[in-house]
Amino acid sequence: MAFLEDYKAHVAERETLGVPPLPLSAEQTAALIELIKAGCTDELLDLLTNRVAPGVDDAAYVKAAFLNDVAAENVTVDGISPEKAVEIMGMMLGGYNVKPMVDSLTSANTKVVEAAKEALKHTLLVYDAFNDVEELHKAGNAAATEVMTSWANAEWFTSKPALAEEITITVYKVPGETNTDDLSPASEAFTRSDIPLHANSMLQSKMEDPINTIKSLKEKGNPIAYVGDVVGTGSSRKSGVNSVQWHMGEDIPGVPNKRTGGVVIGGIIAPIFFATCEDSGALPLEMDVSGMETGDVVTIYPYKGEAHKDGACVATFKLNPNTITDEVRAGGRIPLIIGRGLTSKARGVLGMGATDVFLTAEQPADTGKGYTLAQKMVGKACGMDGVRPGMYVEPVTTTVGSQDTTGPMTRDEIKELAALGFSADLVMQSFCHTAAYPKPSDVVMHHTLPDFISNRSGVALRPGDGVIHSWLNRLTLPDTVGTGADSHTRFPIGISFPGGSGIVAFAAVTGSMPLTMPESVLVRFKGELQPGITLRDLVNAIPYYAIQQGLLTVEKKGKKNIFNGRILEIEGLPDLKAEQAFELSDASAERSAAACTVLLNEAPVVEYLKSNVALIEAMIEDGYEDARTLQRRADKMKEWLAKPSLMQPDADAEYAAVIEIDLNEVTEPILACPNDPDNVKLLSEVAGEKIDEVFLGSCMTNIGHYRAAGEVMRGEGKVAVEKFWIVPPTRMDEQQLINEGYYDVFKAIEAQTEVPGCSLCMGNQASARVGSTVFSTSTRNFDNRLGKGTQVYLGSAELAAVCSKLGRIPTVEEYMSIVPEKLAGKTADVYKYLNFNEINNYHLEARDVAEEKYGVTIKAV
């Protein structure tokens, strides 16, 4: 009874937090089973049925093994009949429960056979066990034939209720913009895989007592809908959707601590967030929300496309995509895709034609025009010449990235998908968001998640290696498609469509991802780069020019954003190094773009891949796993290098808009100002603003930025700001900077150097002083992102160094007198990128030198 006493104490402890108990571990499940064998009670049976995670969780293995023994009548348990055991297994989604259920189709116990048939009819994650059912069917097993026929007729889908003709909801409205930091605060990232606990932090820094407000609204008896002017901007966080669904969705039988369903309404819903809602079984709707306020009771008519309040229509909308009613009915876009595949496969076995049960995605007419670069890349991944905007496709996803604050969630999603291996060619897991200041839960993750990934043929980095993007970009193949659970997964070569942890798990497991092809916006640079102007200034020039042309507004209400949900395609800078190209593609996340391409010449891509092959070979030599996956990627890079070729857009390709930026007109730095990455201004407009802290770091940086900052600060003495953070993106950059003496410069100016990773940019560990004004090279500057109450400017490393020297934002004249003079005659060496193939016998060095000499330590919290 020790287990039960301990469990009840855990339940009581969690109740004080307002959340249910954690799912049972494998050890707890084993102890529970021993109690059940001694005397099954309703309480114990409920724990076994509803408090064990499904799929291929370790506890699910213990549960399935026990239930299999009961179903096979190897074990007799009062209160659990053999057929009841099969019924409970049928709630486990797939994985360890599937073979026992298939075996039960041949049981001599007819009740067991009946239970197995019903369970398998509604199980989608059968994978190779499909072949076992097929063999039984062909051998004349009537039960297997019935299961196969049910799959073919999509009874797993038709048995579920269709989306209702009308849905009455109570509104919970968050005015203005909701970013995913509001829904899933980075400061609480370590709790994200504990969905109920993490959901307690939803909107706490944005709204007054949000959780209790939602609870009181539920007393009206209707489901609660999340409503906002702009919803879900920022990072691609499944955890944000999880939090919304926890408070506004419905339980999933047999799946502890997770919910589905729910309605999200926005004037604008960020595309990644919209897609994550689709994947999770929520109903996202875009419409005018000006007529809705918190507490309003609104009736939604999905098929009519109307929302009514007090008997009057207050908004109209169109269901998007047209298949979303099927997605909601199936429990999400991911189960719909898997289920459709199962139905199609079963119909093939039975010699049946295509089914008309499912809605068909609306496909656009072929205009006969040429294709953009993005349309060609996605087309290649689909076995086509190109893909038109609006076309639904499932491209091969060659490269998949997972980072550590979403990695535990991705792991759980992979378990729920019942997957013991990856089909994507390369899956990489990083530990860049938690390395510098690991919490106890992070330390556990650092020790357990790598094996989970590498055992499935993925590649696991190590804490202290650095930022996911700086590594994943180096593992990418030209002109291929990828995804990652971080909105800044934006390859400088190829194309990536970031997604939440659910779609990342799906892409990793299946090797493809669902995609409704977005339109493209072309940004074309022309002219010559002016003295003192950096690539980061060109990053900020994109929204600056869009604002001038009326294509982008900073105001959230009625916001215009030509980039939102579209692909940003960049031309006119073909000789950029790949690391530089990433500055442009990376920042497309801040534009709320779905993806980005950068048109490069062959030479920089050849240079990049030669370097990356050497890096991969060094990783293999240093014991990184999975070695076979790494070797396969290196071999594919060598194949490309043997015959290099890059796709080109067609001259008559069509774009939603074309923005031309004349480099001759960009004559002073451009900054993003507090606290919105769209709020861009010229340096002359903000000169003189006092700066308290400076952050040089994030995925927006490369080794050239640190050299440039070092040259600006060389010989200057202590910085004039309270703190100058320096955090290189990778340990390779860090080591080279040490070798070249730049860490001596950083030490002399009393900068704070940290372990390579995300650091201040992520906002989940380190933070700037409360209420301070910060100049940062990081990606975004939403409220409270870098620290509570901070006001944050975003700009170049060169400008960051000048700000640290002066303690304020300089005038244009000051900037132009300092930076060009300090870098005179040095630019070729300063802006030289890491080419590992040019270093004799290159190998990955340990971080001991930095830790011992410069105090760059990994700090436990």
Side-chain angles (χ1 to χ4, degrees):
M1 297 296 290
F3 155 72
L4 209 52
E5 292 172 2
D6 290 345
Y7 183 73
K8 287 180 178 178
H10 169 68
V11 171
E13 179 184 358
R14 297 276 288 186
E15 280 180 348
T16 64
L17 302 173
V19 296
L22 292 169
L24 298 178
S25 67
E27 293 75 17
Q28 289 175 317
T29 303
L32 171 64
I33 287 168
E34 292 306 310
L35 291 178
I36 288 174
K37 287 178 180 178
C40 185
T41 65
D42 289 345
E43 178 187 19
L44 297 176
L45 184 58
D46 179 68
L47 287 176
L48 182 69
T49 303
N50 294 308
R51 300 308 306 170
V52 178
V56 293
D57 188 87
D58 290 345
Y61 180 85
V62 177
K63 175 178 175 178
F66 166 65
L67 293 173
N68 180 43
D69 278 341
V70 176
E73 301 184 52
N74 297 326
V75 173
T76 301
V77 177
D78 291 338
I80 306 179
S81 64
E83 62 271 22
K84 180 67 174 178
V86 175
E87 179 187 325
I88 296 172
M89 279 194 284
M91 300 170 65
M92 295 176 67
L93 301 184
Y96 298 128
N97 63 325
V98 175
K99 186 179 185 304
M101 292 194 298
V102 173
D103 290 343
S104 294
L105 293 176
T106 60
S107 172
N109 185 330
T110 56
K111 291 182 179 179
V112 168
V113 173
E114 287 299 315
K117 286 192 303 184
E118 288 308 306
L120 283 167
K121 287 176 183 179
H122 303 282
T123 300
L124 304 181
L125 302 173
V126 295
Y127 298 116
D128 289 344
F130 179 92
N131 301 324
D132 299 328
V133 177
E134 181 182 1
E135 288 179 9
L136 289 173
H137 154 68
K138 290 180 177 177
N141 182 292
T145 299
E146 188 174 331
V147 170
M148 189 67 69
T149 303
S150 176
W151 286 340
N153 291 331
E155 290 180 359
W156 61 267
F157 177 76
T158 58
S159 62
K160 297 176 182 288
L163 182 65
E165 295 282 343
E166 61 180 75
I167 305 168
T168 299
I169 54 92
T170 300
V171 169
Y172 180 71
K173 186 174 182 180
V174 181
E177 178 182 45
T178 307
N179 65 65
T180 49
D181 269 352
D182 298 322
L183 299 174
S184 171
S187 60
E188 300 298 317
F190 65 100
T191 66
R192 282 178 182 156
S193 61
D194 186 348
I195 294 172
L197 183 60
H198 188 67
N200 279 344
S201 64
M202 185 180 87
L203 297 171
Q204 292 290 5
S205 63
K206 190 175 182 70
M207 303 294 285
E208 185 70 29
D209 198 16
I211 308 307
N212 285 325
T213 301
I214 292 170
K215 287 179 180 177
S216 66
L217 291 174
K218 287 181 178 179
E219 295 175 3
K220 294 192 175 186
N222 304 315
I224 309 300
Y226 189 98
V227 179
D229 295 302
V230 180
V231 179
T233 55
S235 297
S236 48
R237 290 192 188 148
K238 177 67 156 49
S239 53
V241 174
N242 282 344
S243 292
V244 171
Q245 288 187 309
W246 183 255
H247 293 299
M248 305 179 191
E250 54 196 43
D251 290 330
I252 309 171
V255 181
N257 294 12
K258 189 173 185 179
R259 289 175 178 160
T260 187
V263 177
V264 176
I265 304 174
I268 295 175
I269 302 178
I272 300 174
F273 194 81
F274 190 103
T276 305
C277 288
E278 288 183 81
D279 296 335
S280 308
L283 176 62
L285 300 170
E286 287 189 313
M287 67 181 81
D288 179 9
V289 299
S290 59
M292 302 180 195
E293 299 297 337
T294 294
D296 287 348
V297 175
V298 173
T299 300
I300 299 165
Y301 297 90
Y303 302 96
K304 289 171 33 178
E306 295 179 358
H308 289 215
K309 183 178 77 173
D310 298 330
C313 180
V314 293
T316 60
F317 61 91
K318 180 182 179 182
L319 288 174
N320 179 45
N322 70 297
T323 55
I324 199 165
T325 54
D326 278 5
E327 294 172 0
V328 173
R329 186 177 190 178
R333 182 170 59 165
I334 289 174
L336 178 63
I337 293 169
I338 294 170
R340 284 191 316 216
L342 178 65
T343 291
S344 177
K345 197 171 180 181
R347 293 179 79 84
V349 169
L350 298 176
M352 302 168 69
T355 181
D356 60 0
V357 168
F358 307 110
L359 292 172
T360 302
E362 293 176 350
Q363 301 289 34
D366 192 338
T367 62
K369 296 286 188 178
Y371 294 108
T372 73
L373 181 58
Q375 290 161 8
K376 285 189 172 183
M377 288 180 181
V378 175
K380 176 186 174 185
C382 299
M384 305 162 63
D385 292 335
V387 173
R388 298 291 179 199
M391 184 178 289
Y392 175 81
V393 290
E394 294 176 12
V396 171
T397 313
T398 306
T399 307
V400 178
S402 172
Q403 51 95 342
D404 39 339
T405 60
T406 58
M409 295 165 54
T410 302
R411 176 194 59 203
D412 293 344
E413 301 275 358
I414 290 167
K415 288 179 181 179
E416 287 188 20
L417 287 171
L420 296 172
F422 295 139
S423 294
D425 190 61
L426 185 141
V427 179
M428 192 203 79
Q429 174 67 51
S430 77
F431 296 93
C432 48
H433 293 69
T434 59
Y437 300 85
K439 296 177 173 62
S441 59
D442 297 328
V443 174
V444 172
M445 174 188 61
H446 293 170
H447 284 87
T448 58
L449 190 54
D451 284 345
F452 180 89
I453 296 296
S454 59
N455 288 343
R456 286 165 170 76
S457 76
V459 175
L461 298 183
R462 299 164 184 171
D465 277 352
V467 180
I468 175 175
H469 316 293
S470 302
W471 281 85
L472 193 64
N473 291 346
R474 288 190 171 275
L475 301 180
T476 300
L477 294 169
D479 294 341
T480 57
V481 175
T483 189
D486 186 301
S487 61
H488 296 99
T489 307
R490 312 270 173 156
F491 304 153
I493 58 175
I495 189 169
S496 52
F497 295 88
S501 57
I503 203 65
V504 168
F506 180 80
V509 169
T510 67
S512 65
M513 67 180 295
L515 176 69
T516 300
M517 189 67 185
E519 292 181 296
S520 290
V521 173
L522 176 63
V523 172
R524 182 186 292 123
F525 289 95
K526 64 180 183 179
E528 299 295 326
L529 191 67
Q530 298 301 294
I533 302 303
T534 69
L535 201 59
R536 186 61 182 262
D537 298 316
L538 303 190
V539 165
N540 289 331
I542 294 175
Y544 185 83
Y545 271 70
I547 290 170
Q548 309 310 309
Q549 296 178 26
L551 299 174
L552 175 68
T553 59
V554 178
E555 175 65 33
K556 302 306 176 185
K557 195 167 186 178
K559 183 177 178 68
K560 292 181 181 178
N561 184 357
I562 191 65
F563 307 107
N564 183 59
R566 295 186 170 98
I567 299 172
L568 175 53
E569 304 207 34
I570 298 173
E571 297 180 5
L573 301 168
D575 295 318
L576 291 179
K577 304 297 187 184
E579 292 94 328
Q580 294 176 305
F582 182 56
E583 286 188 67
L584 293 169
S585 62
D586 188 359
S588 66
E590 275 55 68
R591 310 282 77 79
S592 292
C596 182
T597 65
V598 183
L599 184 62
L600 296 176
N601 287 334
E602 278 185 12
V605 179
V606 168
E607 177 183 342
Y608 195 50
L609 261 64
K610 284 181 177 179
S611 175
N612 296 342
V613 168
L615 175 63
I616 292 172
E617 290 174 343
M619 292 174 70
I620 295 171
E621 183 180 347
D622 198 35
Y624 282 79
E625 293 290 349
D626 177 79
R628 290 171 300 177
T629 297
L630 285 167
Q631 188 61 59
R632 183 173 63 245
R633 182 50 55 98
D635 291 343
K636 289 185 177 180
M637 288 180 175
K638 291 175 183 177
E639 288 175 16
W640 186 90
L641 287 167
K643 192 177 180 180
S645 65
L646 292 172
M647 291 180 165
Q648 299 287 320
D650 292 326
D652 60 341
E654 296 180 301
Y655 300 91
V658 177
I659 300 173
E660 284 203 343
I661 299 177
D662 189 343
L663 298 176
N664 298 312
E665 297 175 355
V666 183
T667 58
E668 61 178 285
I670 305 175
L671 300 74
C673 300
N675 263 354
D676 185 337
D678 285 343
N679 184 23
V680 288
K681 295 180 181 179
L682 300 175
L683 175 59
S684 55
E685 297 179 77
V686 294
E689 288 290 326
K690 182 177 181 295
I691 299 296
D692 300 309
E693 299 188 26
V694 172
F695 175 66
L696 172 53
S698 88
C699 55
M700 284 292 285
T701 63
N702 57 58
I703 193 168
H705 297 133
Y706 297 84
R707 293 196 190 104
E711 293 302 330
V712 170
M713 296 304 298
R714 191 183 294 277
E716 294 294 334
K718 187 180 183 301
V719 294
V721 291
E722 297 170 20
K723 190 178 291 186
F724 186 9
W725 306 72
I726 293 184
V727 190
T730 73
R731 68 180 174 115
M732 296 85 76
D733 297 289
E734 176 190 66
Q735 186 61 54
Q736 188 65 22
L737 290 166
I738 290 171
N739 294 345
E740 295 175 5
Y742 282 100
Y743 264 62
D744 292 320
V745 176
F746 301 151
K747 188 174 183 180
I749 64 173
E750 299 184 26
Q752 176 168 316
T753 53
E754 288 201 344
V755 60
C758 299
S759 185
L760 210 60
C761 178
M762 177 57 183
N764 64 320
Q765 298 183 346
S767 62
R769 177 175 58 78
V770 174
S772 60
T773 299
V774 183
F775 188 95
S776 175
T777 62
S778 57
T779 56
R780 53 179 55 125
N781 60 343
F782 297 134
D783 289 342
N784 305 309
R785 174 78 175 190
L786 270 66
K788 189 172 183 180
T790 54
Q791 298 296 299
V792 181
Y793 292 87
L794 302 177
S796 70
E798 294 81 354
L799 184 52
V802 177
C803 288
S804 70
K805 169 183 165 68
L806 302 178
R808 56 178 170 79
I809 296 177
T811 64
V812 176
E813 293 73 23
E814 286 174 322
Y815 172 83
M816 290 298 182
S817 67
I818 294 172
V819 173
E821 179 181 333
K822 286 281 192 174
L823 297 181
K826 302 176 182 178
T827 54
D829 290 330
V830 166
Y831 299 110
K832 181 180 179 180
Y833 298 91
L834 280 177
N835 288 333
F836 303 108
N837 57 309
E838 296 176 1
I839 303 173
N840 289 332
N841 300 315
Y842 178 75
H843 63 278
L844 287 161
E845 299 184 45
R847 297 193 64 256
D848 297 346
V849 174
E851 292 180 9
E852 292 178 8
K853 186 174 181 180
Y854 298 102
V856 184
T857 57
I858 297 177
K859 307 176 180 66
V861 171

